[in-house]
Structures are given as C-alpha cells and as structure tokens.
Amino acid sequence: TQIARALGDHKYAKATDHLIAALHDSHPRVTMYAGIGLGRLKATKAFGELIGLLERNDNKDMYVRHAAVMGITGIGSEDSLIASSEHPSAAVRLGVLLSMRRLSVSAIDSFLNDSEPSIVEEAIRAINDVVIPGAQAALAKKLEEYAPGKTFPVIDSKIKELLQHRLINANFYEGKKINAKRIIKYAANP
C-alpha cells in the first residue's frame, strides 16, 4: 500500500507499469493509491485502465472511484474524457463527469441529457457550483423543461428543489433577455 503511495507521491515515472498493474490488486487501498499515483505521474497510457477501474468498481467503493477520478484528472486529456462521456456504464460516465468538473471542461454539458437521472443531477451541480462558463448556457436552457405546458419531473424532495434553484441561477448568471423570459415562464408554472 505505502509503496504505491510513495511511488506516486515522488512522481517516479519508471513505476508507471507497476502502478497500472496495481489497479487490479485485490486490496482497494492499493488500487486507490495506484490510481492517484498515475494521475500525479500524468501517465496517459493509464487512461484506459482507469476507465476500466471505474467500470469494475461500479460505484461500490467511493474511495476507489475517487482514485480513478483523480488519476483521470491528473492525466487531463480533454479529448479522451469527451470520447468516454458516452460509455455504456453509468459508473464510468459519473467518473468522467467528476473529472470534467475538476478540469472545468465545457463539454460537461452533454451530461445534462444523460439517461441516468443521478448523472443529470450531478452535472447540474457541477456546472453551477464550479461555474463552468462554457456550459452555463446549456444549464440555463434546461429550465425550459419546467415551463408551463411541459411535462416536468415532479419535485419530490428538497434536493430536486435545490437543483431547480441552480437552473434559475444559471439564467441569472447568463443575464440575457432570453434568460429573463425563461425565468418568467418558470414562475408562471403552477
């Protein structure tokens, strides 16, 4: 465990292959330090293995997911992130979204229409809370789903209400005439 951590902490590039192999270790802590270490090494050849780690983990262990996200973020390949954003695994898409959030990648707006509601919610939080300028317009447009005459998700929790506040905030942030019209339409919805 500590070896994987030390190799990453000291950015020992010759250990890249060993850290990639450690992503398959049976001990989650070793896997975690290997993932973080690969990010510190900016080991581009580990990108696919980190995506595989997200898929194998399937959101079961949040520390392993965090390690994969930090590894992917450290590599920082925007093109690879965009290419992975339509992965069939929801766990991979969530990990890619979290990496895009850390890197403020405007293509994060593609997750606003994901088939998995929890990913859509995370995208709303990411774009608003980090303020990703290139994605604010798409976030603001999402408020149209709540306009009169539209079938919209029922607000069944305080969390969903707070997500709608983020959509309103994105419209305030954009500050254009169309945004004001959206807010008025939203307010008219019973």
Side-chain angles (χ1 to χ4, degrees), residues 47 51 54 69 72-73 75-87 92-93 95-101 103 105 107 110-111:
F47 186 87
I51 293 292
L54 285 168
V69 167
I72 291 168
T73 302
I75 293 168
S77 172
E78 202 170 305
D79 292 337
S80 297
L81 284 168
I82 292 168
S84 301
S85 66
E86 294 183 16
H87 195 282
V92 170
R93 292 194 313 275
V96 168
L97 183 155
L98 294 171
S99 291
M100 285 181 166
R101 175 187 177 134
L103 296 168
V105 176
S110 67
F111 290 107

Side-chain angles (χ1 to χ4, degrees), residues 50-166:
L50 291 163
I51 293 292
L53 177 59
L54 285 168
E55 189 170 21
R56 286 191 310 277
N57 183 51
D58 197 29
N59 290 328
K60 291 179 198 129
D61 185 324
M62 66 180 170
Y63 296 105
V64 171
R65 179 181 63 208
H66 173 74
V69 167
M70 294 307 291
I72 291 168
T73 302
I75 293 168
S77 172
E78 202 170 305
D79 292 337
S80 297
L81 284 168
I82 292 168
S84 301
S85 66
E86 294 183 16
H87 195 282
S89 165
V92 170
R93 292 194 313 275
L94 178 61
V96 168
L97 183 155
L98 294 171
S99 291
M100 285 181 166
R101 175 187 177 134
R102 289 184 161 276
L103 296 168
S104 295
V105 176
S106 62
I108 195 171
D109 64 2
S110 67
F111 290 107
L112 291 171
N113 300 308
D114 197 272
S115 60
E116 180 64 41
S118 63
I119 291 177
V120 173
E121 292 171 6
E122 189 61 41
I124 291 169
R125 280 190 288 273
I127 295 166
N128 181 75
D129 297 359
V130 175
V131 185
I132 302 174
Q136 284 293 318
L139 180 60
K141 188 168 176 42
K142 192 111 178 114
L143 189 64
E144 291 176 2
E145 293 177 18
Y146 298 89
K150 303 276 183 163
T151 36
F152 57 92
V154 176
I155 302 173
D156 59 356
S157 71
K158 187 71 173 166
I159 291 173
K160 295 216 171 139
E161 184 180 328
L162 292 173
L163 290 173
Q164 286 186 29
H165 290 186
R166 286 176 167 102

Side-chain angles (χ1 to χ4, degrees), residues 13-24:
K14 292 180 182 176
T16 300
D17 291 333
H18 297 291
L19 290 174
I20 290 172
L23 293 175
H24 298 278

